[in-house]
Every structure is written in C-alpha cells, then in structure tokens.
Amino acid sequence: MTSILYAEVYLLCIGIVGLCIYWSTRRSSNSAPERWLYVMLVGFMVSFVSNLLFTLFNSILVVPGMVYPLSYLFKTVYHGATCFGVFAWCGYANALCRGTLFTSRRKLLIPLVPLAVMLGLILSNLSTHHLFEIDASGKYVRHGLFQVQMGVLVLATSVFSLRLLFQAHGETDPVKRGHERLVATFPLCLLIAWALSIVGESIPVICVAITLELLCLVMGTSTQQISMDKLTQVNNRQNLMGFLEYKLYNHDEKLFLLMMDLDYFKTINDSYGHLEGDDALIRAAKALKLACDGYKRRPYIARYGGDEFIVVIESTKADADALVAHIREVLDELNGKAQRPYELKFSIGMSEYHPGMTANDLIEAADNALYEIKRARPDHGSRR
C-alpha cells in the first residue's frame, strides 16, 4: 500500500473520531463513563494525527533537514498518546463496572504510576532508542521495549475486560449487557496491533480497528443515554417497558417488581425548592444503585415518573424482601451523610409475576400494594 493511500485511510479515521468527539461534546450527560469516553477519544485522536503527520513528513512532504527530528517527535507523541488512550479506556471500563480505582485522586495514583513510567520510557527513547528508532533512510524500526509496552497494555486492558464480561454475565438489561460485552472486546484491537507489528505498519488495520471500536462505543453510549433518565442516571420509563416485555418471557427464577415512591416528596419541593427536590431524587437513585450492587443478577432500576422508582429483581422471595430492607438501610445511611433538614423515606410495594400477566399487570399489582401500605399509615392522605 502506498504512503498516500495509507495517509488517506488515517485521514478518514481521524474524521470519524473527530465526529465522535463532536457528538460527545453535544451530549448533556456528565457521567463518569461519558467523561472517560471523551478523554479516550481525544487520546486516540492525538495518536492518529501524530502518525498521519509522521507519514506525511517522512514519505510525502519531505522537508530536507527536518525529516529526522520531526519523525522522532511524531512517533514519540504517537506512542505516548496511544498509551494515554488505553489508560482512558481502562477508566471507562472501570466506570462501567462501577469500580472505585479511578474515582478519587489517591486511588487514581495506582494506575497513574505505571502510565507515568511508560511515558517516561517513551520519552527516554529519544536518547536510548530501546523502544524504536528511525534510521538514516527514514525507516521506522521497533525494538524490544515495544514488545514490553504492548504486553503491558494488553495485560492491563484484559483485566478490565474480564471484569466487564463477568459483570455482563449477571446483567439483566440486554442493552447494557450487549454494550459491556462490546467494550470488553477492546483488548482484541491491541492484540491485532501487536500481531501486525511483526510485519510493520504497511497496512493501517490497527487504526481502522480502533476507530471502529471507538465508533461502536460512542453509538452504544448514545443508545444507553436515550434510555436513561438524565437527572438520576437510571433507566427511564420507555426503557422499563421494553425491558419488562423482554424479561417476562426470559427469566429463570421468580420475578418480582418493587414499586416505590418518596414519602412527602411534595413537601420537600414546596419547602426547599425544586433544586433541592432534584437533589433528593438523585440521592434516592444513588441508594437504589448501591443497594442493588452485589447480586449475581443485578436488579434492574428505573425511574417510573416524578418521585416513583421501580426495581425488578429475578430471584427468590427472600432475596426480594432482603432487597427492600437493604434499600431502606442504604437510604438511611445517605440521609445521615447528606445532613439535610429532612429525611428521605421510601414506601415500597411488591408484586410477583405469574404466567399470563402483562407488564402493565405487574406494575399495577405493585402500585396497588404500594397504595395499601400508604393507606395503612396513621397519617394517610396524599401519596406525596
């Protein structure tokens, strides 16, 4: 393949990644996976641009006296940006796994240290040439440290990939399960890159493979955002109905639906304002997320509307009852940490699926159970 065609392929990939970056900046969500995805896109964009510039100035737009230093500069940036892009992918995968490794500055030092060491070795290559060198004719030649670099990148991404695959195995939402499995394929791109490094870079399959992976990640993230409630970052009502239609006919154990709403939520809005009410909804959703972690089949969470949430759990009646108690415990803990002049409490109604029931039947049964619980309270009145 000629240098011109090679450059054209890289230019096409740069254009696609550029569009992905643009789409990412247009989205209103600011979740941890979205932030890491944006950083990943920028990292690989820098990597692709630097490799394109290397090709242009090394083979096409040859500038006498500048080929040698520019070639080293662009290839050094290429290797550094590639490592940074892989680091950002690990952060993205960790966020999808709801891990804590990248969530605080102190814990972030753990993955930053090997990244800093790798970037230091890449910079030191300018004098040692242990990673790569460019000979007098302008030919790019890799050395032993390159194999070490690729081995470290493949190993690091494989760890997070296995975590994602394990999580996807227990994910009840088919949309999320498919996206997690797709993300977990990223180490395959690095393996392709490593294998192709044996024959050199005459074929830009590495760039194309990573670009397709990034495009799929952006499209998958966009699909998930459409199905997410923007305020609470749990599934919205539209996604809930699709999930129930699927789950009613695809479950192995008993299926339970928990319908819940926040007690006296209208009072919070009236007394403290709607911004405080939004904060209360976010805290309630956080309690549900924390309470639902740790299950073999992670319960499905959705915001039904207003202050109403739904959790669907596929397990035993004992597990469903335990989840109800755990939700209340976690919410009490968050109330203590929030230090607000009010406490959030859930009223929770439960229904069990029986053959012949529709999604609306299951929701209505849980809603009726919720109403009975509220009606039995001494201060029964408005559901809000």
Side-chain angles (χ1 to χ4, degrees):
M1 182 176 290
T2 66
S3 297
I4 293 178
L5 184 55
Y6 183 91
E8 288 176 345
V9 172
Y10 256 89
L11 191 60
L12 176 62
C13 292
I14 288 171
I16 294 174
V17 176
L19 286 175
C20 291
I21 292 175
Y22 174 76
W23 292 334
S24 296
T25 58
R26 298 287 292 178
R27 285 198 290 265
S28 58
S29 173
N30 193 34
S31 63
E34 289 265 314
R35 293 194 297 271
W36 279 112
L37 178 59
Y38 178 79
V39 174
M40 185 193 342
L41 289 169
V42 172
F44 283 116
M45 170 65 90
V46 174
S47 172
F48 293 169
V49 169
S50 60
N51 211 35
L52 172 64
L53 291 175
F54 167 81
T55 302
L56 290 176
F57 285 94
N58 189 269
S59 304
I60 302 174
L61 304 176
V62 178
V63 181
M66 294 296 294
V67 172
Y68 192 75
L70 285 177
S71 296
Y72 262 105
L73 172 64
F74 294 140
K75 274 300 180 181
T76 299
V77 174
Y78 165 73
H79 281 279
T82 299
C83 290
F84 186 78
V86 172
F87 167 80
W89 179 89
C90 292
Y92 178 71
N94 179 77
L96 290 181
C97 290
R98 297 176 290 277
T100 60
L101 186 59
F102 291 73
T103 55
S104 66
R105 291 183 179 180
R106 180 175 298 180
K107 291 182 178 179
L108 189 59
L109 288 175
I110 298 174
L112 274 177
V113 169
L115 174 65
V117 171
M118 194 167 293
L119 293 178
L121 291 173
I122 292 172
L123 288 174
S124 68
N125 180 75
L126 294 173
S127 59
T128 64
H129 298 169
H130 291 324
L131 179 65
F132 69 88
E133 68 174 321
I134 299 170
D135 59 24
S137 64
K139 184 179 179 181
Y140 169 64
V141 182
R142 299 182 183 88
H143 293 305
L145 189 58
F146 172 79
Q147 309 302 331
V148 176
Q149 173 189 318
M150 292 304 301
V152 171
L153 295 181
V154 170
L155 178 62
T157 54
S158 296
V159 170
F160 288 98
S161 178
L162 290 174
R163 287 187 61 190
L164 274 174
L165 290 174
F166 179 77
Q167 176 171 295
H169 181 70
E171 179 59 62
T172 55
D173 186 347
V175 175
K176 288 184 179 179
R177 182 169 62 246
H179 183 66
E180 288 167 358
R181 287 175 175 171
L182 174 63
V183 176
T185 63
F186 183 78
L188 293 177
C189 293
L190 297 181
L191 285 174
I192 292 173
W194 198 355
L196 289 178
S197 67
I198 299 174
V199 296
E201 291 189 326
S202 59
I203 304 175
V205 176
I206 303 170
C207 174
V208 174
I210 292 179
T211 299
L212 290 176
E213 181 84 14
L214 294 176
L215 182 60
C216 290
L217 295 188
V218 171
M219 293 176 64
T221 301
S222 297
T223 301
Q224 287 201 73
Q225 285 301 320
I226 293 172
S227 65
M228 296 289 281
D229 176 67
K230 291 184 178 180
L231 177 64
T232 59
Q233 288 298 296
V234 297
N235 297 291
N236 58 26
R237 184 168 180 167
Q238 180 181 357
N239 183 270
L240 166 69
M241 300 310 295
F243 170 78
L244 285 177
E245 292 296 336
Y246 165 81
K247 203 63 183 175
L248 293 186
Y249 304 100
N250 295 275
H251 61 276
D252 299 323
E253 298 187 55
K254 293 183 177 180
L255 203 63
F256 298 91
L257 186 145
L258 311 180
M259 167 74 81
M260 61 197 78
D261 67 11
L262 291 171
D263 296 338
Y264 315 112
F265 179 71
K266 186 176 184 299
T267 302
I268 297 174
N269 275 333
D270 293 343
S271 301
Y272 306 103
H274 289 280
L275 288 179
E276 186 64 36
D278 288 347
D279 183 74
L281 291 172
I282 293 172
R283 198 184 334 149
K286 182 179 180 180
L288 295 178
K289 294 174 188 177
L290 292 173
C292 290
D293 278 341
Y295 283 80
K296 182 179 179 181
R297 289 189 178 94
R298 188 172 187 269
Y300 173 93
I301 309 169
R303 183 183 178 191
Y304 190 63
D307 64 322
E308 294 178 318
F309 294 87
I310 282 179
V311 173
V312 180
I313 177 173
E314 181 182 354
S315 191
T316 63
K317 181 64 164 58
D319 282 342
D321 290 334
L323 177 59
V324 170
H326 191 40
I327 288 172
R328 293 196 170 105
E329 291 173 0
V330 173
L331 188 56
D332 285 342
E333 292 177 5
L334 294 182
N335 282 331
K337 295 178 181 178
Q339 297 183 342
R340 293 293 197 273
Y342 59 87
E343 285 194 349
L344 296 178
K345 297 290 184 182
F346 271 131
S347 289
I348 305 176
M350 182 189 303
S351 63
E352 179 181 352
Y353 170 76
H354 297 288
M357 294 179 71
T358 65
N360 288 330
D361 292 337
L362 192 62
I363 293 173
E364 184 179 3
D367 193 50
N368 290 336
L370 173 62
Y371 177 75
E372 290 300 322
I373 291 172
K374 285 184 168 289
R375 193 171 64 132
R377 289 192 328 208
D379 57 347
H380 169 63
S382 171
R383 282 188 62 170
R384 297 290 179 264

